[in-house]
Every structure is written in structure tokens, then in C-alpha cells.
Amino acid sequence: MAMVGLFWIVEGDVYVGAKPSGPGPGVRLTPEGVTALGDGREDLLPWADVTSLTVSDVPVRTLPRRIGAAVGLALQTMREMALPNGHGRVAEAPGLMTVRVTTAGGAHALEAYVAAAGGYPATEADLSRALLARLADGSGATATTLAAMARWGRAAADGTPRGGERERLLREWLG
């Protein structure tokens, strides 16, 4: 599995945000369309009907956000050292992004978990939004773009690449 921009790519599957587990919400992009996941549902919005695909509530990495994440990690480590059995510790759920899909039948607001704890680099977020718009533009490149992303995911045994490589991949997939 690997994260590239707003995309979580696991073998041949491409998700916006983190891959959901259990009943958690998520959005999977397939050659057939946009699939809303969560609570036992798998609602498919076919690409032929999709006219717009955007994402909002994306946490963008900033210096204060990075400092806050580092401080949070340090505090969590200190708590775990003081309370080794996790007494009083409450797991914090990851943030949510909203994936908005517009079709001829109306607008759909789907939720997806944020995969980047400290936020996404601004350039990667922008490139990812452009890629989502391209997937929905009706140009016919959707299937080949998703196939390229899935192919890369199956070959990416080393996990998430470094920042420059992630940007290069996003630009390549944008065409």
C-alpha cells in the first residue's frame, strides 16, 4: 500500500483518502465509477453519469500543523510511558474529507478518512484535485489513468514514495 497525494493505492485498488476498514466511510475509484463505502454499503456512481468530482476539507500541511503533530506524538508517548496499559487513553479518530460527486441525478457528498496525519503537502493536494477533475471530465482517459495508478500500486512494494516522486507520479497520471 502507498499514499500518493490524496490517493491511497493498495495493490490494484485506488481510494480517495485512506482505505476504510470495517464499517468506516471511504471512496474507491474503479474503472466502472466512484464507489461509496461504509456501513455495509457499496453504492456505485458510474463514470458515464459523473460530471464533477471534487474534494473538500483537505488538511494541508503547514508548519504549525507539523509542529502540532510532533507535540501530539510526544505527549502521546509520555502518556503511554506513564500509563503503560493505556488507562484513560481514548483513541482519536482520523479526520474526514468530503468527496463531492455531481451526476445528472444530483450531488452526492461522500466521506473519506484523511490518510496523512500531519496534513497533505499543498502541491500534492492541488495535483490530486486536478487529477480528480480530469477523471470526471468525460475525456475518456479515466480507465487508462486508473489502470496506470493500479499498475503502479501493484508494483510499489516499498510503500509510500518520497515527496518528489509522489509529485512526479501525480503529474504523470495527469498526462
Side-chain angles (χ1 to χ4, degrees):
M1 93 174 131
M3 185 174 56
V4 178
L6 301 180
F7 304 100
W8 189 270
I9 305 170
V10 182
E11 296 176 0
D13 293 330
V14 178
Y15 298 88
V16 178
K19 176 183 179 183
S21 63
V27 177
R28 184 174 58 223
L29 305 177
T30 69
E32 293 78 30
V34 179
T35 305
L37 303 169
D39 290 329
R41 74 180 214 193
E42 265 195 55
D43 300 332
L44 176 69
L45 301 166
W47 288 115
D49 298 342
V50 174
T51 58
S52 173
L53 183 58
T54 62
V55 64
S56 60
D57 308 319
V58 176
V60 175
R61 186 179 299 164
T62 61
L63 182 58
R65 183 182 298 274
R66 291 175 83 175
I67 291 170
V71 168
L73 181 60
L75 290 174
Q76 178 182 344
T77 301
M78 288 178 11
R79 269 194 311 264
E80 288 176 4
M81 289 173 63
L83 303 168
N85 292 327
H87 297 292
R89 188 169 156 220
V90 177
E92 187 177 315
L96 290 169
M97 298 184 293
T98 304
V99 180
R100 299 185 191 287
V101 185
T102 306
T103 66
H108 308 268
L110 313 177
E111 291 183 325
Y113 285 120
V114 171
Y120 297 94
T123 302
E124 288 183 46
D126 292 343
L127 289 168
S128 296
R129 286 182 171 118
L131 183 53
L132 288 167
R134 183 171 178 273
L135 291 171
D137 72 4
S139 66
T142 303
T144 55
T145 301
L146 288 173
M149 294 171 82
R151 199 170 35 254
W152 177 85
R154 284 189 292 274
D158 295 338
T160 300
R162 307 223 9 92
E165 177 67 7
R166 292 192 308 264
E167 285 185 28
R168 186 195 66 73
L169 284 165
L170 290 165
R171 291 178 199 287
E172 177 183 314
W173 295 332
L174 266 166

